[in-house]
Amino acid sequence: MVGIETADDAGVFQLSEDLAIVQTLDFITPIVDDPYAFGAIAAANSISDIYAMGATPVTALNIVGYPTAEVEPDLVAKILQGGYDKLTEAGVAIIGGHTVDNPALIYGLAATGIVHPEKVVTNAKAKPKDLLVLTKPLGTGAINHGIKQDKTPPEIVSRAIEVMTTLNKAAAEAMVEVGVNACTDVTGFGLLGHLHEMLVASKVGAKIFASKVPLIEGVLDLIGQRIFPGGARTNKRFADTFSHWHESISEAMRIALCDPQTSGGLLISLPEQKLDALMEAMETKGVKWAAVIGEIVSEPVGEVLVEP
Ligand code: CO
Ligand code: CO
Ligand code: CO
């Protein structure tokens, strides 16, 4: 039902009239110093694509690689415990996995979810006049980059860990309950990159209001000190080809809108009439950061107007 053509979050394969499986895999290198938190983040990140399709993750397989001569098995055990606990919270069973000797430490999971074939939420059905809702604040790329250089203050590290370990489960359940037109999750290509994929797949354009986009507190300061990953710069260079920036948007804000995210939030496109119901459902389910950040316009297709 969904393959590689539309750069969607996960593959969807129909098994019967009322059942489809959703499959995805993701693994990452360490981004925080605490191995348990890293495991939890990698696990939340790995199943995010299943939530972004409106599906329910059910099983997962661990993917582990580490330099066996250098890394203590005890540290790997803590990572796996973090992943196990996070997926237990999600109601997902880890039913196997594979470990290899690898020069870099990597951890992630291959995950399978289920969904009714008519309930699949793709990134290809955003409609003009839809509103865009983002469910987590941006900034984890810059913050993680700063952690590697010992330049991220500890209070910002803990804010980012809270954001990255939060499952997209509650946000996805709210979205499915209300019914929306399109969804994707914000990961490596940053907000504008993933929005662009949605716009191209849906053959529409968008307007984003920069001041409405939630950011992790303190991240603009980091970016102002030039603490952000090369990927943010690469994403920004690509975003420049389809974005029209209002002149008042600061360079730091432009980078933040392109900052590659780990375990980022859902970006949801829905008709205005459904907004109140969605926000109410999000609040009831404990989604803390959901915000309306823009709207869909009919054209130019694939392009983003970034307003203050
Ligand atoms: Co995704
Ligand atoms: Co992914
Ligand atoms: Co094997």
Side-chain angles (χ1 to χ4, degrees):
M1 293 179 65
V2 178
I4 57 180
E5 302 79 15
T6 49
D8 217 320
D9 298 294
V12 184
F13 188 85
Q14 186 163 358
L15 291 179
S16 68
E17 210 173 291
D18 56 4
L19 186 66
I21 53 167
V22 181
Q23 293 183 293
T24 180
L25 75 83
D26 235 304
F27 51 82
I28 56 176
T29 54
I31 43 179
V32 294
D33 295 327
D34 174 4
Y36 181 87
F38 167 61
I41 292 165
N45 184 61
S46 296
I47 57 172
S48 174
D49 281 326
I50 292 186
Y51 291 126
M53 303 303 289
T56 306
V58 286
T59 60
L61 303 166
N62 279 322
I63 302 164
V64 187
Y66 67 101
T68 48
E70 293 158 43
V71 173
E72 292 291 321
D74 186 47
L75 183 130
V76 178
K78 283 186 184 128
I79 294 172
L80 291 175
Q81 188 66 46
Y84 177 85
D85 289 351
K86 187 47 67 178
L87 288 201
T88 301
E89 178 192 332
V92 175
I94 297 180
I95 54 174
H98 191 74
T99 304
V100 289
D101 190 354
N102 196 54
L105 199 161
I106 54 163
Y107 174 55
L109 299 107
T112 301
I114 51 172
V115 66
H116 190 286
E118 280 155 25
K119 292 277 171 71
V120 176
V121 183
T122 69
N123 66 354
K125 286 178 184 159
K127 300 272 181 306
K129 297 199 171 102
D130 274 5
L131 295 178
L132 290 166
V133 171
L134 178 65
T135 66
K136 284 188 188 181
L138 304 177
T140 58
I143 291 166
N144 296 340
H145 189 75
I147 291 172
K148 289 191 185 116
Q149 303 179 348
D150 258 331
K151 285 180 180 160
T152 302
E155 68 275 12
I156 302 183
V157 175
S158 41
R159 273 178 219 139
I161 289 178
E162 188 199 353
V163 170
M164 291 187 289
T165 55
T166 298
L167 292 167
N168 281 328
K169 181 176 195 278
E173 285 171 358
M175 159 178 101
V176 169
E177 199 175 287
V178 170
V180 304
N181 286 339
C183 177
T184 190
D185 60 344
V186 178
T187 52
F189 298 133
L191 172 66
L192 292 189
H194 289 282
L195 173 61
H196 177 69
E197 288 180 338
M198 180 187 278
L199 300 179
V200 170
S202 303
K203 301 183 181 68
V204 292
K207 204 185 275 186
I208 292 292
F209 302 104
S211 60
K212 302 269 172 75
V213 177
L215 301 178
I216 297 172
E217 202 191 322
V219 77
L220 281 183
D221 287 344
L222 287 180
I223 295 173
Q225 297 164 50
R226 313 207 62 74
I227 298 167
F228 54 82
R233 173 80 51 213
T234 312
N235 287 347
K236 160 85 168 34
R237 211 173 291 137
F238 179 51
D240 283 339
T241 66
F242 60 79
S243 303
H244 305 269
W245 305 97
H246 189 278
E247 55 180 25
S248 68
I249 313 281
S250 71
E251 188 59 25
M253 184 47 124
R254 295 181 195 205
I255 292 287
L257 295 176
C258 300
D259 186 46
Q261 302 301 285
T262 298
S263 191
L266 300 182
L267 175 65
I268 297 168
S269 182
L270 82 169
E272 192 178 0
Q273 315 84 271
K274 290 190 168 184
L275 181 70
D276 289 347
L278 181 75
M279 290 315 222
E280 247 180 74
M282 294 259 181
E283 211 189 308
T284 309
K285 292 173 191 297
V287 180
K288 287 189 198 170
W289 304 288
V292 178
I293 62 161
E295 61 194 42
I296 297 291
V297 295
S298 54
E299 54 187 9
V301 170
E303 298 191 12
V304 182
L305 202 62
V306 188
E307 299 274 285

